[in-house]
Amino acid sequence: MIQKIGIIGGTGMMGRMFQSAWEAQGKEVRVTGSKDLDKEKALVMESELVILSVPIDKTAEVVRRISPWLTSGHLLSDFTSVKSPVVPVMAKTEAQVIACHPMFGQVQSLKGHNVILMPLDGGGKFLHQYKRLYEDLGLKVTVLADWTKHDESMSVIQGLMHFIHIVFSRTLAKRQVDLETVLQICSPVYQANFAFACRILMRDPHLYTRILMDNPQNLSVLSDFLAEAQGHLKLIDKGDEKTFENHFLETREFLGDLGEVFSAQSDYLVEKLKEYPPAPEK
Amino acid sequence: MIQKIGIIGGTGMMGRMFQSAWEAQGKEVRVTGSKDLDKEKALVMESELVILSVPIDKTAEVVRRISPWLTSGHLLSDFTSVKSPVVPVMAKTEAQVIACHPMFGQVQSLKGHNVILMPLDGGGKFLHQYKRLYEDLGLKVTVLADWTKHDESMSVIQGLMHFIHIVFSRTLAKRQVDLETVLQICSPVYQANFAFACRILMRDPHLYTRILMDNPQNLSVLSDFLAEAQGHLKLIDKGDEKTFENHFLETREFLGDLGEVFSAQSDYLVEKLKEYPPAPEK
């Protein structure tokens, strides 16, 4: 089993989170930050697994720097949200590569969150071991054989959703909406929506900007969203109830069985939100 | 205290929900549906409070029909989501008017949900009594003195948010996104967002279409949203990181203290969503 882990960029939020979680399990974890470039060689030489936890636009540079010390006995991985600028660069090293995307940022507990692993050439002897590293922390691991599918999915997961929340909040700001009144009288669904927008807007602007700019699939997804928005706004403007309702029903058909399944999940969220803030534990 | 309540359109989902809740409290509740027009006169004559629970575009017609039987001893109210096409029509009757907007649809329990009351001319002797009717069901009542503020707020609460979820889902459908894969690997925030979209898409298309078309404020809010979306897509296309990040920070500033407060609320939702489906009660 993997015992020695090195995290480059490990002094950031994600790196620290995993460092303490793995150390609690008896692993040897080394980390370096952007001021410890002189310690990177030792980190690579002394680790079986090297993880890059650096901004997307810095990853290629780091790979080039550590490349001379990477051998076929190393597992090389990363935490970046977009894979197409990163995986081909990692693939050029001697190391076995398994790209990784933890589907969460700062969280109260790792347990139950999603992690995606994307092995190159099947991940070799490391895939099973690397999967276990995350499973032992209580994470749910999905292995995606084709990493290009990752960026495609992420363009609708992160790209579209972040974009919507950022533009939604910006629209409230532009109109100088009276937030106090709105939040006093709104429905739980709106309240949750606002909470998720705040979750994004209170975090690292650079991270969200890069996620939107670095995934080449985003432009096409966002353009589609914009075209649909324009089309639907026109229908509202013309009062074309019939076409609007037809689109609505077509979309419902596309959702299929998932529509009911996730609608039930929204009932659960609405009830849980009414219990917020939770009663203090006794 | 108000004892006799008549709900016109009371055979719909909202009407039934309130009928059984008030009957459980010992109130006399009469309801009529669209096939009981002959019973409307008796309903009005025998009720102290008459509530219109009919589609927005039918409300004016109903008011005209029951108007001859309404007296100054009546309290007239409604459940519609948009007030500007409705309140001026109700105001022309002899009755005291207090418009009402329950901020929820089909829910597992009424307790803790929001209701907005908008009294005309202060609501007279009825305001206190009417408020109690809802409070006794465990609802949170907000009195909004200026009903025009209601439609203004609703254009960002319902108008903008419904629009976003409808167009978001439509974009997934248009691209024939592989939902199973996306939902398997997505983050809790995306999962919640998808659940809320399903909540809307699985419900009455006519209701959502009318809410978008009947509030005259929606066009302006949605146009602002679209303009912001276009502007931000251009920044992504050009790779203008600096302006994008500046907008992000300006928006955060607008959110002010609410940003942290609601971001914490999103942490709670993320943790709760991980507990879904909830363990069966023992």
Side-chain angles (χ1 to χ4, degrees), chain A residues 220-234:
Chain A
S220 149
V221 172
L222 299 180
S223 300
D224 280 2
F225 173 78
L226 214 73
E228 289 300 324
Q230 270 161 336
H232 282 78
L233 183 56
K234 251 184 220 156

Side-chain angles (χ1 to χ4, degrees), chain A residues 10-48:
Chain A
T11 53
M13 182 263 291
M14 287 297 276
R16 280 185 197 283
M17 211 158 58
F18 279 102
Q19 178 182 22
S20 62
W22 277 322
E23 281 181 348
Q25 304 230 327
K27 306 288 175 191
E28 250 177 69
V29 187
R30 285 173 185 76
V31 301
T32 56
S34 56
K35 286 170 191 158
D36 313 312
L37 301 194
D38 54 323
K39 294 186 188 140
E40 280 178 354
K41 183 175 178 181
L43 178 144
V44 174
M45 305 284 275
E46 285 159 27
S47 300
E48 299 158 81

Side-chain angles (χ1 to χ4, degrees), chain B residues 209-238:
Chain B
T209 306
R210 288 321 318 170
I211 288 179
L212 278 164
M213 294 192 176
D214 290 338
N215 187 338
Q217 308 260 4
N218 283 345
L219 272 184
S220 147
V221 172
L222 299 180
S223 301
D224 279 1
F225 173 78
L226 215 71
E228 288 301 325
Q230 272 161 336
H232 282 78
L233 183 56
K234 250 183 222 157
L235 294 177
I236 293 169
D237 195 16
K238 287 194 294 181

Side-chain angles (χ1 to χ4, degrees), chain A residues 38-266:
Chain A
D38 54 323
K39 294 186 188 140
E40 280 178 354
K41 183 175 178 181
L43 178 144
V44 174
M45 305 284 275
E46 285 159 27
S47 300
E48 299 158 81
L49 161 64
V50 176
I51 300 176
L52 313 174
S53 183
V54 298
I56 306 169
D57 51 332
K58 296 272 178 280
T59 310
E61 181 186 322
V62 177
V63 174
R64 271 191 298 272
R65 212 161 54 217
I66 64 169
S67 192
W69 313 308
L70 285 169
T71 68
S72 58
H74 278 107
L75 171 60
L76 178 63
S77 190
D78 70 307
F79 286 161
T80 52
S81 306
V82 185
K83 294 308 173 193
S84 51
V86 172
V87 173
V89 184
M90 296 200 294
K92 282 187 195 145
T93 67
E94 292 293 315
Q96 177 71 52
V97 172
I98 303 178
C100 171
H101 188 185
M103 292 302 293
F104 51 89
Q106 196 156 8
V107 286
Q108 286 170 16
S109 125
L110 291 173
K111 219 164 260 177
H113 279 292
N114 279 341
V115 167
I116 314 171
L117 295 188
M118 290 149 276
L120 252 63
D121 308 315
K125 62 171 182 179
F126 286 116
L127 182 58
H128 174 70
Q129 295 183 43
Y130 196 30
K131 206 169 162 235
R132 274 286 298 281
L133 270 189
Y134 292 110
E135 282 171 351
D136 288 349
L137 301 179
L139 290 154
K140 283 197 299 191
V141 180
T142 300
V143 177
L144 214 59
D146 177 359
W147 65 267
T148 63
K149 288 256 179 236
H150 170 274
D151 286 7
E152 223 173 285
S153 296
M154 285 310 136
S155 64
V156 294
I157 295 176
Q158 299 191 309
L160 182 53
M161 203 190 54
H162 292 171
F163 181 80
I164 286 174
H165 279 109
I166 291 167
V167 174
F168 164 79
S169 313
R170 176 91 183 155
T171 307
L172 303 188
K174 268 290 178 107
R175 294 182 71 90
Q176 292 287 308
V177 162
D178 172 2
L179 289 179
E180 298 277 358
T181 299
V182 162
L183 290 165
Q184 193 191 353
I185 64 177
C186 74
S187 63
V189 178
Y190 188 86
Q191 196 182 331
N193 204 69
F194 183 76
F196 289 131
C198 289
R199 183 183 191 78
I200 292 170
L201 267 303
M202 295 311 286
R203 299 194 175 182
D204 181 11
H206 188 66
L207 174 67
Y208 287 97
T209 306
R210 288 321 317 171
I211 288 178
L212 279 164
M213 295 191 177
D214 289 338
N215 187 339
Q217 308 261 2
N218 284 345
L219 271 183
S220 149
V221 172
L222 299 180
S223 300
D224 280 2
F225 173 78
L226 214 73
E228 289 300 324
Q230 270 161 336
H232 282 78
L233 183 56
K234 251 184 220 156
L235 294 176
I236 294 169
D237 194 17
K238 286 194 296 183
D240 186 348
E241 189 178 278
K242 197 158 175 277
T243 310
F244 200 96
E245 289 186 27
N246 282 343
H247 284 188
F248 195 102
L249 292 169
E250 276 168 29
T251 307
R252 181 189 293 178
E253 206 165 312
F254 168 74
L255 295 174
D257 294 342
L258 293 170
E260 280 300 357
V261 170
F262 278 82
S263 182
Q265 198 158 318
S266 82

Side-chain angles (χ1 to χ4, degrees), chain B residues 13 84 96 106-107 120 152 158 161 176 180 227 229 243 279:
Chain B
M13 181 264 292
S84 50
Q96 177 72 51
Q106 198 157 7
V107 284
L120 254 62
E152 223 173 286
Q158 299 192 309
M161 204 190 52
Q176 292 288 306
E180 299 278 357
T243 309

